[in-house]
Amino acid sequence: MSAPSNRALTTRDWNRRSVLRAALGLTAAGSLAACGGDNGRGGGSGSGTRLTQYFHAYGEAGTEQAVKRYAKAYDGADVSTQWITGTNFESKLFSALLTENAPDVFEFHPQIQLVKSGQVADLTELVEPVKDDFNPADIASHTIDGKIWGVRMIDDPQFFYYRKSLLADAGVEPPATLDELVEAAAKLTTDKVRGVFLGNSVTPVMNPLIWSTGADTLTDGNEIAYHTDAVAQGLTKLRSMFADGHLLLDAPADWWDPSALTQGLVAMQWCGMWAMPVIEEALGDDVGIIPFPASADGGRPAVVNGGWSMFVNAKSDHLDEAKEYVKWLWIDQKEHQEDWALSYGFHIPPRTSLAESAEKLRTGLAAEGVRLFNEFGHFDNPAWTQAMIVALEGVVADAVRKGGDPEAALDKADRTVGRELKKLFG
């Protein structure tokens, strides 16, 4: 989660942003060996009940210690923490959920397959009394069949960071449209600096591209909504930046790590609000932020609102105790929730009362991030599954990196997404 502003984020053990929007599906096999070193065993008076919680390895220094400190303060059970390093948290989590060593509590993202498979417990009774103090969009994204299935811990907006001085030297204004972004990338590219970094795979901006045209991934009726002429044209524009050499590719660290920007490899980078303290520490006031720019007539800028949520394993042998722990930490302990959101980097607390009182988010670049979050943000769609995510990643690979026909790439994705929708909704 958050990290001291004087320490750069690394990717050695951080894959927090890989495949954010949905689960892998409960098809993996095998068990998960213990990961993460010290198990963080709770040391309170406890009840003799032992609970295990899974977290992916956040990149910000101090996060692992914070999670274990919270668990140790809980006296209702002995809570151990599996701090899962590496690049495949999702597969390790979902493999473990199929075994007798499954966690009682785990972090992930709202996922309709988790509900349909009976893997996550209904947490409506925990959240309902404080529902009005949560961001309504977070409640909506965690509500399936009228029930609330997870508790949001942090909201993580993603947008473009840019070096003010580099744009000024090139005579470039912060782009307000995709066409302007293409032009800016060309003007900002030199023999030492690339104009724009969209991630090594370019896939992180696929959804923002869709939203910025005025389209969406799915309709309210769960039908394909992303396959439009404007999206195809937007892919062509991304391809032009790629083909002309104006995108930074194969960076030492991927898009979630701000080092491409802070080390002067690029003039503009797509990244998240979590990295803001590190970026400001490195660049001072020579940095601004903008949303993904409007990509079509009638479109509007877009911001991804990522984040992480806590779920209870419905098949836990200690279901009631697990629910009580989640309630204690993520509903009752607002001091811990504020610490988690703001002491190790910048995240927006999903609790409205905490977000409004957060001094660190009231001024400067952070306040601008909150404004963009509120004005242009798009939240999780629990019906958008991992197979659908992979299908659109394939569109970027085919149409942007390989230079294939965008319509053909979108047609290919339609077949996969259509099969998924049929499985989910008939």
Side-chain angles (χ1 to χ4, degrees):
M1 273 206 23
S2 318
S5 59
N6 62 352
R7 178 166 177 170
L9 310 181
T10 68
T11 58
R12 179 171 55 83
D13 62 353
W14 187 21
N15 192 41
R16 63 174 297 169
R17 311 298 167 194
S18 64
V19 199
L20 288 184
R21 296 280 71 79
L24 289 174
L26 301 179
T27 58
S31 61
L32 173 65
C35 303
D38 176 16
N39 67 8
R41 180 73 62 192
S45 59
S47 62
T49 299
R50 293 177 178 269
L51 301 175
T52 300
Q53 60 180 352
Y54 274 20
F55 279 77
H56 79 289
Y58 287 78
E60 302 93 324
T63 50
E64 182 179 3
Q65 293 78 8
V67 166
K68 293 177 178 179
R69 185 173 68 251
Y70 307 152
K72 188 174 182 179
Y74 183 60
D75 62 9
D78 290 335
V79 182
S80 65
T81 301
Q82 292 288 343
W83 190 256
I84 299 175
T85 62
T87 60
N88 55 349
F89 170 72
E90 291 86 356
S91 62
K92 289 181 177 180
L93 168 64
F94 280 86
S95 293
L97 287 173
L98 295 175
T99 75
E100 61 182 12
N101 297 319
D104 304 284
V105 175
F106 59 91
E107 66 169 359
F108 205 65
H109 317 286
Q111 169 56 262
I112 195 170
Q113 289 179 328
L114 291 172
V115 175
K116 287 183 174 290
S117 67
Q119 189 65 65
V120 294
D122 175 9
L123 302 185
T124 306
E125 63 179 351
L126 274 61
V127 181
E128 187 68 37
V130 293
K131 183 174 70 172
D132 291 345
D133 191 38
F134 275 83
N135 187 313
D138 281 324
I139 294 296
S141 66
H142 290 69
T143 301
I144 299 171
D145 296 333
K147 298 176 181 179
I148 302 172
W149 300 93
V151 182
R152 193 67 150 188
M153 300 183 296
I154 48 173
D155 283 321
D156 277 340
Q158 300 159 28
F159 27 64
F160 277 113
Y161 289 88
Y162 65 90
R163 293 284 301 273
K164 293 179 180 179
S165 60
L166 294 182
L167 268 66
D169 290 346
V172 172
E173 293 293 327
T177 67
L178 182 55
D179 287 333
E180 291 179 6
L181 179 65
V182 173
E183 294 173 4
K187 292 179 180 179
L188 292 166
T189 297
T190 69
D191 57 346
K192 296 181 179 180
V193 178
R194 288 291 177 267
V196 178
F197 184 39
L198 303 178
N200 287 329
S201 67
V202 194
T203 56
V205 297
M206 182 64 199
N207 278 17
L209 171 66
I210 292 168
W211 296 324
S212 68
T213 67
D216 206 340
T217 51
L218 299 173
T219 67
D220 291 342
N222 293 312
E223 297 178 340
I224 290 172
Y226 59 79
H227 192 157
T228 68
D229 290 343
V231 169
Q233 292 165 8
L235 289 165
T236 299
K237 293 171 184 179
L238 293 183
R239 170 63 187 175
S240 71
M241 287 193 288
F242 180 94
D244 293 340
H246 301 151
L247 295 182
L248 176 66
L249 301 171
D250 302 320
D254 214 340
W255 67 280
W256 56 80
D257 185 311
S259 57
L261 188 78
T262 59
Q263 293 177 10
L265 303 179
V266 69
M268 300 182 65
Q269 176 177 344
W270 185 261
C271 196
M273 191 167 174
W274 58 84
M276 191 174 286
V278 171
I279 293 173
E280 290 192 294
E281 177 72 15
L283 303 178
D285 60 1
D286 186 29
V287 60
I289 55 174
I290 58 170
F292 194 93
S295 301
D297 292 340
R300 64 195 304 266
V303 168
V304 177
N305 283 342
W308 291 87
S309 307
M310 190 55 61
F311 298 88
V312 172
N313 182 359
K315 301 173 184 179
S316 168
D317 291 336
H318 305 291
L319 180 60
D320 290 339
E321 293 91 339
K323 286 184 177 181
E324 281 300 315
Y325 173 64
V326 169
K327 177 180 182 297
W328 175 83
L329 181 52
W330 299 111
I331 300 294
D332 299 338
Q333 302 301 309
K334 295 181 76 172
E335 181 178 352
H336 291 334
Q337 295 159 34
E338 183 176 26
D339 179 66
W340 188 236
L342 297 168
S343 296
Y344 313 95
F346 285 170
H347 314 261
I348 299 177
R351 301 287 292 271
T352 303
S353 57
L354 290 178
E356 291 178 346
S357 65
E359 292 291 338
K360 294 179 180 179
L361 302 182
R362 286 188 173 184
T363 59
L365 202 63
E368 177 65 5
V370 173
R371 184 188 72 80
L372 296 180
F373 168 89
N374 289 326
E375 187 170 353
F376 301 118
H378 293 260
F379 285 70
D380 298 276
N381 181 348
W384 190 246
T385 70
Q386 176 59 24
M388 299 177 192
I389 294 169
V390 172
L392 287 197
E393 289 176 344
V395 169
V396 175
D398 291 343
V400 178
R401 294 188 66 92
K402 298 178 182 178
D405 176 34
E407 284 293 343
L410 290 167
D411 285 340
K412 181 180 176 181
D414 290 350
R415 293 190 286 273
T416 298
V417 174
R419 286 194 299 269
E420 284 293 294
L421 291 173
K422 186 173 182 180
K423 284 193 296 185
L424 288 171
F425 304 109

